[in-house]
Amino acid sequence: MDLRNINNVTEFILLGLSQNQKVQKICFVLFSFFYIIIVVGNMLIVITIISSCRLTSPMYFFLSYLSFVDICYSSVTAPKMIVDLLTEKKTISFVGCIAQLFGVHFFGCTEIFILTVMAYDRYIAICKPLHYTTIMTRHRCGQMVVASWLGGFMHSIIQTVLTTQLPFCGPNKINHYFCDVHPLLQLACTDTYVVGIIVVANSGMIALGSFFLLVVSYIVILVSLRSRSSEGRLKALSTCGSHITVVVLFFGPCTFTYIRPSSNLSEDKSVAVFYTIITPMLNPLIYTLRNEEVKSAMRKLWSRKVGDTKGDI
């Protein structure tokens, strides 16, 4: 069925982050810089892990997928937002809006599940070190990644189907910089109370439930570290520190947005910047600055590329 046949709206107008021209120009420069860092930084991590013969543990296997998802997740919203900052009329077609909504929830939910799987990996590595290699086999790690992608797909399909069933018969201005469920619910020409509850249950409970599992896993890890030597505790905490930082930066704003019915879209879109732009940008810095193995592998990759370039010359 053609989506446009079930309503009178063929396109939406995105109001963006600000209506002020000067603020928009500043945001254009700032977010263009942020997006370049996101793509280059995360791509560098993916290439480094694939190229290195030392970064073969499950932790780095999951990290490579997390970096890839970060690139995809930001690419769903950032390029459109950056272009719109320099255009007077910020429009998006109905089909394009639904596709963007699907992408945001698909990659966002996949990232939530991958972060949860990474926490499980750290739990097994620290609390059951003797069984680590038998539990976290490459085959099982692959299954976990596939399950994360499938979970994200199922979540996004539900959100998308719920939204496309709503009638849109007039208002088409979205007070956001990308298409999301909450702003679209406010434009629907029908009572969206039930749909809103389902959306909160679907999005909010996934974020909150995963965050709860992460908190429990790290409490168990911290308790188990009491019996370790001070050197062992420091090494384990250093390994988990990067992941905990990313979890807080991503889950905090995400849970705030989706655990409740939206009432303040201006507040929501400001918070959305953190989980769609800031966290994917900081992930490469957090994981590389605190990890000597990744930094060493990057230096070797860079020196090898420089050596190959000089050889060609």
Side-chain angles (χ1 to χ4, degrees):
M1 182 185 293
D2 189 345
L3 294 176
R4 292 171 295 181
N5 291 334
I6 62 174
N7 61 72
N8 298 326
V9 176
T10 59
E11 66 177 17
F12 293 100
I13 298 173
L14 297 169
L15 298 183
L17 288 171
S18 174
Q19 302 296 305
N20 187 298
Q21 292 290 329
K22 290 183 179 180
V23 173
Q24 287 183 15
K25 290 177 181 179
I26 294 172
C27 286
F28 173 79
V29 175
L30 198 62
F31 287 114
S32 296
F33 177 68
F34 287 170
Y35 184 61
I36 291 171
I37 293 177
I38 291 169
V39 175
V40 174
N42 284 290
M43 187 59 70
L44 183 59
I45 287 181
V46 173
I47 294 172
T48 299
I49 292 173
I50 292 174
S51 305
S52 176
C53 58
R54 296 182 63 185
L55 305 179
T56 56
S57 69
M59 180 176 71
Y60 297 116
F61 176 74
F62 294 132
L63 178 57
S64 65
Y65 278 98
L66 179 68
S67 295
F68 175 72
V69 170
D70 274 335
I71 295 172
C72 297
Y73 187 38
S74 293
S75 297
V76 174
T77 58
K80 171 65 176 170
M81 178 189 68
I82 292 167
V83 171
D84 283 348
L85 287 168
L86 293 183
T87 57
E88 187 175 340
K89 193 176 182 182
K90 305 168 178 59
T91 60
I92 185 170
S93 67
F94 184 90
V95 174
C97 184
I98 296 302
Q100 191 178 57
L101 183 150
F102 176 85
V104 166
H105 285 269
F106 176 43
F107 293 116
C109 191
T110 300
E111 177 152 350
I112 286 175
F113 289 140
I114 289 178
L115 286 171
T116 306
V117 167
M118 291 175 75
Y120 176 73
D121 171 67
R122 291 299 84 206
Y123 164 75
I124 297 297
I126 295 171
C127 298
K128 299 182 179 180
L130 298 178
H131 303 284
Y132 183 72
T133 54
T134 56
I135 295 175
M136 300 302 292
T137 62
R138 182 51 65 101
H139 178 68
R140 184 163 294 174
C141 291
Q143 289 179 327
M144 290 179 178
V145 170
V146 171
S148 297
W149 285 100
L150 288 176
F153 179 78
M154 292 304 298
H155 161 76
S156 187
I157 281 291
I158 293 172
Q159 301 293 76
T160 304
V161 170
L162 286 173
T163 306
T164 55
Q165 298 305 307
L166 297 172
F168 298 95
C169 53
N172 67 338
K173 290 185 178 181
I174 298 176
N175 188 17
H176 216 301
Y177 62 90
F178 67 89
C179 289
D180 202 359
V181 179
H182 286 317
L184 288 173
L185 288 180
Q186 294 197 1
L187 296 182
C189 303
T190 186
D191 182 13
T192 59
Y193 177 78
V194 175
V195 176
I197 295 297
I198 297 173
V199 166
V200 169
N202 188 20
S203 296
M205 294 313 296
I206 286 177
L208 190 62
S210 298
F211 185 66
F212 177 75
L213 288 175
L214 289 167
V215 170
V216 170
S217 68
Y218 278 109
I219 289 174
V220 173
I221 288 172
L222 291 173
V223 170
S224 69
L225 289 177
R226 292 189 302 176
S227 60
R228 302 284 185 90
S229 64
S230 58
E231 184 180 348
R233 283 198 298 269
L234 287 174
K235 186 177 179 181
L237 288 173
S238 177
T239 304
C240 297
S242 300
H243 190 252
I244 293 172
T245 304
V246 171
V247 165
V248 172
L249 287 173
F250 185 80
F251 276 87
C254 197
T255 304
F256 173 82
T257 300
Y258 293 108
I259 198 62
R260 80 213 197 288
S262 182
S263 58
N264 190 335
L265 293 180
S266 296
E267 189 178 67
D268 282 0
K269 65 184 178 182
S270 299
V271 173
V273 171
F274 281 90
Y275 59 83
T276 59
I277 304 291
I278 303 300
T279 302
M281 179 189 69
L282 292 178
N283 279 359
L285 299 175
I286 292 169
Y287 282 110
T288 55
L289 291 177
R290 296 178 60 91
N291 193 307
E292 287 299 328
E293 285 185 315
V294 175
K295 286 193 286 187
S296 176
M298 283 184 174
R299 282 193 292 266
K300 288 182 179 179
L301 178 64
W302 177 255
S303 61
R304 191 166 58 201
K305 292 295 182 183
V306 171
D308 293 343
T309 303
K310 288 182 179 179
D312 294 337
I313 295 174

